[in-house]
Amino acid sequence: MTRLAQWGYSLCFCLLTPVLLLRLWWRGRKAPGYRRNWHQRLGLGTAISEPVIWVHAVSVGETVAIAPLVRRLIKTFPGHRILITNMTPTGAEQVRTLFGDRVEQRFCPWDLPWALKGFLRRVRPQLCIIVETELWPNLVHQCDRAGVPVLLANARLSERSARGYRRFSALTVPMLNRLSLIAAQGQADADRFIGLGMAPERVVVTGSIKFDLQPNPDQVAAGQALRQRLGAHRPVLIGASTHAGEDEILLRTWQRLREHYPELALILVPRHPERFDQVATLCHQFSARVVRRSRGDAVDPGIDILLGDSMGELMLFYAAADIAVVGGSFSGTGGHNPLEPAALGVPVVMGPDCFNFQSITDALRDAGGLVCVPDEAALAARLDRMLAEPNRRAEQGRQAADFVAANRGALARLEAEVMRLSAQQ
C-alpha cells in the first residue's frame, strides 16, 4: 500500500507539472521573480564542487528564522558551501539580502523523483536541514536513497496540520520515518509527530530558534530615525505582514481611532510584493497623505500612512512603532511571527487565527506581551485602550521583550544536533 501510494502521488505530481509551469508564468506577470531560474524547479542547474550543507527554507519567515544557524554554519564549516533553497522569490531575495554571495541560493526542485535525483546528483549534499514543516515525500525519500541525513529543524505541527497528515498516512508515516531527526519547537509539536508515526527516539525538543532572533542594530537605529521623522511624540501603529482583506481592517480601524487620536500614524506592511500597488491604491482611499517606502519619498510628521513596500525591512518598521498588529491572524492563514516585534519591546495584538504559532502566542499572551482579539470591533477597542494608557502599553512591551530573552537558547541546542549528524557522515 505504501509503495502504491508513493507511486500514485509521484504520477499525479508529474501530470500536474505543466500546470505548475503555467502557474509560474501567470504569477510572473506581477512578480517577475517567479519566472527567474524556473529550470531550478526541475532539478536543473550547475554542479557544486565543494562539500555542501543544504538548508531548505520555503519563504521569508523561515529564511529569517534559520539565518542565525546559517551564520554559525558558515563559520563552523569554512570548507563547505552552504546551499539555501526556497520556494518563493521573496524567500530567495531574503537570502541574497542576508548573505550575499556567502551562500549559494537556488529554488528547491518540485517533488518529482527525477528532478530530485538530478538535483542531488549535482549538489551531493552531506546533510539536509528542512526548516519548520516543509515536508515533501519524494524529497525525503530521495535523500534517504542517496544516504543524505535529513533534519527537520525548528519543527512545528499544529493539530489542524496533524489532522491533514493523518488523512494521508500511507505517505506521511514512511516519510517521517525516513527523517534522521525532528528537532521540535515544543513538547506538543513533538507529541503530534510521534502520534503520526515518527519513532520517539528520533524526536527531540529544542525550542523555537525564533526566540534567538537578534535584531540588527543598524535596522533598529534606522527604525528609530524613521520614528523621529514621523514625529517623535505622535503614536505609531503598525499592521505587519498583512494578507488580502486585512489591509482594509487595519485602515478602517486606524480611521476610527483617529477620531480620538488625530495624530495617529499607520505603517502598513503587506506580506506579498505583488500586492504592493493594490494596497497603495487602497491607502489613498483613506488619506491623501500616503508615502511609499520603495520610492524614497520624504517622511515627515505631516504624513498619515507609510506603506512598507520594501523587502527585508520589517524589523526596521517594527522599531518605529508603538503597537504591532501582526497579520495573517485575521485572514484564516494562521498568523505570522509575533516574536519579531516582541524582541524589540513592542506590544503585540493578533486576531483569532494564530495556529501557525499557537504555543508561542499562548505563552506570549500569558506573559503579558500579546493580546488576541476575536474581530475588527474588538481590535479597535483594544487599540483604543492601549493608546489611552501609554504606561501600561510600555509595560506590555517590556513583558514581551523579557519573554523573548527568557526563552533564548534553542539555537545552541539545534546547532549541537546538526554537529552530531554531520559527524556521522
Side-chain angles (χ1 to χ4, degrees), residues 4 41 51 58 81 128 133 174 199 201 221 236 272 357 386 388 410 420:
L4 183 62
R41 300 179 190 268
V58 60
R81 186 65 169 163
C128 173
T133 322
E201 64 272 17
V236 179
H272 300 110
F357 294 88
M386 295 174 75
R420 183 175 64 81

Side-chain angles (χ1 to χ4, degrees), residues 164-344:
Y165 278 120
R166 286 189 198 103
R167 285 197 291 269
F168 301 96
S169 59
L171 281 172
T172 57
V173 172
M175 175 181 67
L176 289 173
N177 281 286
R178 288 184 180 114
L179 297 173
S180 304
L181 186 70
I182 293 179
Q185 292 189 17
Q187 189 60 52
D189 301 292
D191 291 342
R192 290 185 189 113
F193 280 112
I194 292 169
L196 287 175
M198 180 64 178
E201 64 272 17
R202 285 188 280 127
V203 181
V204 297
V205 177
T206 54
S208 174
I209 60 174
K210 292 189 175 182
F211 285 105
D212 290 278
L213 171 70
Q214 296 290 345
N216 184 316
D218 293 336
Q219 281 209 329
V220 173
Q224 292 168 345
L226 176 63
R227 172 56 182 269
Q228 292 296 316
R229 294 197 298 275
L230 280 169
H233 301 293
R234 67 189 299 204
V236 179
L237 170 69
I238 182 172
S241 297
T242 55
H243 291 246
E246 294 182 320
D247 309 290
E248 291 88 343
I249 290 174
L250 265 296
L251 286 162
R252 286 194 299 264
T253 300
W254 168 77
Q255 190 177 59
R256 181 174 174 181
L257 292 169
R258 292 259 294 184
E259 295 174 6
H260 297 107
Y261 309 96
E263 291 189 340
L264 179 65
L266 175 66
I267 302 174
L268 192 58
V269 188
R271 177 73 173 177
H272 300 110
E274 57 266 31
R275 296 181 54 246
F276 287 164
D277 290 341
Q278 175 188 346
V279 177
T281 300
L282 183 64
C283 289
H284 280 286
Q285 295 175 13
F286 286 80
S287 174
R289 296 181 294 180
V290 178
V291 166
R292 297 183 65 165
R293 174 74 174 177
S294 63
R295 296 183 177 175
D297 297 333
V299 174
D300 59 55
I303 74 163
D304 290 332
I305 302 170
L306 171 62
L307 180 61
D309 57 344
S310 57
M311 296 302 299
E313 293 192 312
L314 184 57
M315 295 300 286
L316 182 155
F317 296 129
Y318 277 136
D322 295 300
I323 305 170
V325 179
V326 177
S329 57
F330 290 92
S331 60
T333 52
H336 293 293
N337 185 8
L339 297 179
E340 293 170 330
L344 294 170

